[in-house]
């Protein structure tokens, strides 16, 4: 029995020496030890189970190990990366503009020109807020240019599918931007159709039987401010006749501050078609405090205080009274439209207010429409010697006065019902 044990000791001791000595012949033994055998069988037949180091697990088959790792890692990955990787999980991809890429310049040339814009049916929106308002209202995006991916991730992911996304340098956006401080993102949209748009519920709930008709408004800043006032007052619709600046021009959009996506705006209308967009029994009122009839038809008190002017509508003087050469009879070409103060009641029926441009004033067609619908001229009194109010200021005064009158009428009606 002793003879059998001695060889076992002779075999084991060199192994320990090999591990400690690290000579060249022992490398293969060290390599074998690194393989971590499951069992050691001695020559005597004794079998020793090897204990695994803490943290080490037996190796599984490749398919079983990968499946278990995926199941274990999946909850952690989902909880840690679900929020920030939503944009990536949607499968969206973007292109990076290369040096000399002219896609941005070619698109900007189209959307900044009204003829090209109307022909292509595209508009330009700049800034995250304006783009978000457009997406919420149902506007259809076609292309986005952005300088940082964070700007794009702030937009609704479901609205970006199928849209061309192009990352460009901030300097390129700055070259084409109309803003003093560009926001780093521009969007090309299909020209919105008011029939297909979805306007905010709060705007629809506060909508009033009050319309706005823009006549010969050619200043982009004025038109944008007027649209913003119309949205704030609760106008149900805005009509723009031919001769007005394009409502979708970038400067108008910037001044409108999102008003384009809060109420229907119908652009480039002929005066013959304007009545088709008015509700039944609508009366048309003209904001014309410089009409030729104002001094004659307003009270003497108003005339004495200089609440009229005679500078802006002198273009109608040649039409006002013209003598027939053959018969010698005078012909009245200017429609007879009564003048009243703006703060008198004029909202007993659905009302449409016509705002004219500062340079040309209101058109003859607007006065004819006011006469045919039983409307009047609305006079805003000013101190003598002071020039007339600009179009944006006059529109704001009249629209919010109309809102005040309609609110007062609604309160009186509710009070009468409570008494009964």
């Amino acid at each position: 029995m002793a003879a059998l044990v001695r060889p076992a000791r002779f075999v084991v001791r060199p192994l320990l020496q090999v591990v400690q000595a690290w000579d060249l012949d022992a490398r293969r033994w060290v390599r074998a030890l690194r393989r971590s055998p499951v069992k050691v069988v001695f020559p005597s037949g004794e079998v020793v189970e090897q204990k695994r180091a803490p943290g080490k697990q037996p190796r599984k088959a490749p398919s079983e190990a990968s499946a278990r790792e995926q199941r274990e890692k999946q909850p952690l990955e989902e909880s840690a990366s679900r929020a920030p990787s939503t944009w990536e999980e949607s499968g969206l991809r973007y292109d990076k503009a290369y040096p000399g890429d002219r896609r941005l310049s070619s698109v900007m040339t189209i959307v900044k020109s009204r003829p090209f814009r109307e022909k292509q049916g595209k508009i330009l929106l700049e800034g995250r807020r304006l783009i978000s308002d457009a997406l919420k209202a149902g506007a259809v995006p076609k292309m986005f240019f952005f300088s940082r991916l964070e700007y794009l991730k702030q937009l609704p992911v479901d609205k970006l599918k199928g849209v061309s996304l192009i990352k460009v340098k901030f300097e390129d956006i700055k070259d084409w931007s109309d803003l003093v401080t560009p926001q780093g993102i521009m969007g090309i949209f299909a020209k919105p159709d008011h029939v297909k748009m979805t306007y905010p519920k709060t705007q629809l709930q506060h909508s009033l039987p009050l319309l706005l008709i823009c006549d010969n408004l050619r200043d982009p800043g004025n038109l944008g401010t007027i649209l913003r006032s119309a949205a704030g007052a609760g106008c149900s619709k805005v009509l723009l006749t031919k001769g007005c600046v394009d409502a979708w021009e970038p400067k108008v959009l910037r001044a409108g501050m999102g008003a384009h996506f809060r109420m229907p705006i119908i652009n480039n209308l002929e005066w013959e078609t304007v009545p088709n967009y008015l509700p039944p029994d609508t009366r048309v009122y003209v904001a014309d405090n410089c009409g030729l009839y104002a001094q004659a038809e307003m009270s003497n008190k108003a005339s004495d205080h200089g609440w009229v002017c005679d500078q802006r509508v002198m273009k109608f003087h040649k039409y006002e009274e013209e003598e027939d050469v053959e018969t010698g009879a005078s012909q009245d070409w200017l429609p007879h439209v009564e003048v009243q103060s703006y703060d008198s009641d004029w909202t007993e029926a659905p009302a449409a207010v016509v705002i004219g441009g500062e340079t040309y004033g209101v058109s003859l067609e607007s006065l004819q429409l006011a006469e045919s619908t039983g409307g009047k001229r609305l006079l805003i009194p000013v101190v003598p010697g002071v020039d007339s109010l600009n179009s944006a200021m006059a529109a704001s005064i009249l629209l919010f006065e109309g809102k005040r009158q309609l609110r007062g009428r609604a309160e009186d009606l509710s009070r009468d019902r409570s008494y009964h």
Side-chain angles (χ1 to χ4, degrees):
M1 188 69 182
L4 293 174
V5 174
R6 283 180 183 177
R9 290 179 181 177
F10 179 79
V11 175
V12 173
R13 292 177 79 178
L15 284 175
L16 295 175
Q17 292 176 3
V18 168
V19 174
Q20 294 175 356
W22 294 95
D23 56 358
L24 296 177
D25 297 334
R27 289 184 179 180
R28 68 166 184 248
W29 299 106
V30 174
R31 183 179 179 185
L33 289 175
R34 285 179 181 175
R35 292 179 180 176
S36 300
V38 178
K39 297 179 182 180
V40 177
V41 181
F42 291 94
S44 61
E46 183 182 0
V47 178
V48 179
E49 295 282 347
Q50 292 292 104
K51 294 184 179 179
R52 298 189 175 276
K56 289 188 177 182
Q57 298 296 332
R59 181 174 294 182
K60 303 287 184 179
S63 59
E64 183 180 354
S66 60
R68 171 170 284 187
E69 289 177 359
Q70 290 178 359
R71 288 195 300 268
E72 291 178 353
K73 293 181 179 180
Q74 187 173 2
L76 296 175
E77 292 180 353
E78 288 183 356
S79 59
S81 62
R82 181 181 296 273
S85 64
T86 302
W87 194 85
E88 290 84 350
E89 290 176 357
S90 62
L92 296 176
R93 297 291 183 271
Y94 65 88
D95 296 334
K96 190 173 182 180
Y98 51 85
D101 195 330
R102 299 184 58 84
R103 283 180 288 184
L104 178 60
S105 59
S106 61
V107 171
M108 292 298 114
T109 304
I110 292 176
V111 297
K112 285 182 175 289
S113 172
R114 180 168 184 174
F116 281 99
R117 190 165 56 242
E118 292 180 349
K119 183 178 180 180
Q120 298 288 334
K122 297 178 181 178
I123 63 171
L124 169 66
L125 302 180
E126 184 175 0
R128 295 184 294 277
R129 179 179 175 181
L130 188 59
I131 290 175
S132 297
D133 291 343
L135 293 174
K136 291 177 183 177
V140 180
K142 297 295 183 181
M143 186 178 299
F144 282 111
F145 296 95
F146 60 96
S147 60
R148 297 179 63 181
L149 189 59
E150 289 77 9
Y151 300 154
L152 202 63
K153 290 183 178 181
Q154 295 175 2
L155 303 178
V157 177
D158 57 329
K159 302 288 186 178
L160 301 180
K161 295 181 179 179
V163 182
S164 299
L165 309 175
I166 303 174
K167 186 177 181 181
V168 297
K169 294 182 178 180
F170 181 77
E171 289 73 15
D172 296 335
I173 292 181
K174 188 176 181 180
D175 291 340
W176 289 99
S177 175
D178 292 327
L179 302 179
V180 178
T181 307
Q183 299 186 25
I185 184 169
M186 293 179 168
I188 308 300
F189 285 74
K191 197 170 185 179
D193 184 358
H194 67 94
V195 178
K196 300 178 181 179
M197 299 289 284
T198 304
Y199 299 105
K201 293 182 179 180
T202 54
Q203 189 73 28
L204 298 176
Q205 291 172 357
H206 292 82
S207 181
L208 301 173
L210 186 63
L211 283 80
L212 178 65
I213 303 176
C214 298
D215 181 19
N216 283 323
L217 283 172
R218 303 190 179 185
D219 184 81
N222 273 347
L223 180 56
T225 305
I226 289 173
L227 294 176
R228 188 176 178 182
S229 297
C235 282
S236 59
K237 192 182 300 183
V238 177
L239 308 179
L240 277 71
T241 61
K242 282 191 173 181
C244 291
V245 64
D246 185 16
W248 302 104
E249 182 176 306
K251 292 182 179 179
V252 181
L253 286 162
R254 184 171 69 252
M257 294 294 292
H260 293 72
F261 306 105
R262 303 188 68 86
M263 60 186 176
I265 298 176
I266 306 174
N267 204 14
N268 206 26
L269 293 177
E270 297 283 356
W271 273 106
E272 293 78 8
T273 63
V274 169
N276 299 333
Y277 295 91
L278 302 179
D281 303 327
T282 298
R283 294 181 183 178
V284 177
Y285 295 87
V286 179
D288 181 16
N289 63 332
C290 299
L292 295 176
Y293 287 117
Q295 191 170 10
E297 297 189 14
M298 286 295 290
S299 64
N300 294 331
K301 182 178 180 181
S303 299
D304 293 340
H305 284 80
W307 288 0
V308 293
C309 57
D310 56 355
Q311 299 297 324
R312 273 179 38 195
V313 201
M314 293 306 294
K315 67 169 186 169
F316 289 134
H317 181 69
K318 61 181 179 179
Y319 300 114
E320 182 182 11
E321 188 172 333
E322 188 173 297
E323 185 176 343
D324 194 332
V325 179
E326 297 180 359
T327 62
S330 62
Q331 298 179 352
D332 192 2
W333 289 87
L334 193 63
H336 255 293
V337 182
E338 184 181 348
V339 179
Q340 75 171 45
S341 180
Y342 80 104
D343 54 356
S344 300
D345 191 8
W346 48 271
T347 57
E348 62 274 3
V353 179
V354 180
I355 300 294
E358 297 180 31
T359 305
Y360 299 97
V362 294
S363 61
L364 182 63
E365 292 82 358
S366 66
L367 297 175
Q368 292 173 345
L369 184 60
E371 183 185 35
S372 63
T373 58
K376 298 179 181 180
R377 294 185 183 185
L378 300 178
L379 178 66
I380 301 176
V382 294
V383 175
V386 177
D387 198 5
S388 60
L389 302 176
N390 69 1
S391 301
M393 185 66 70
S396 300
I397 292 174
L398 293 178
L399 293 177
F400 279 93
E401 171 61 23
K403 180 179 182 178
R404 184 193 67 81
Q405 295 182 12
L406 290 170
R407 180 185 296 175
R409 182 172 286 103
E411 291 176 354
D412 294 341
L413 183 60
S414 61
R415 192 180 301 111
D416 294 340
R417 288 179 179 176
S418 63
Y419 288 155
H420 296 291

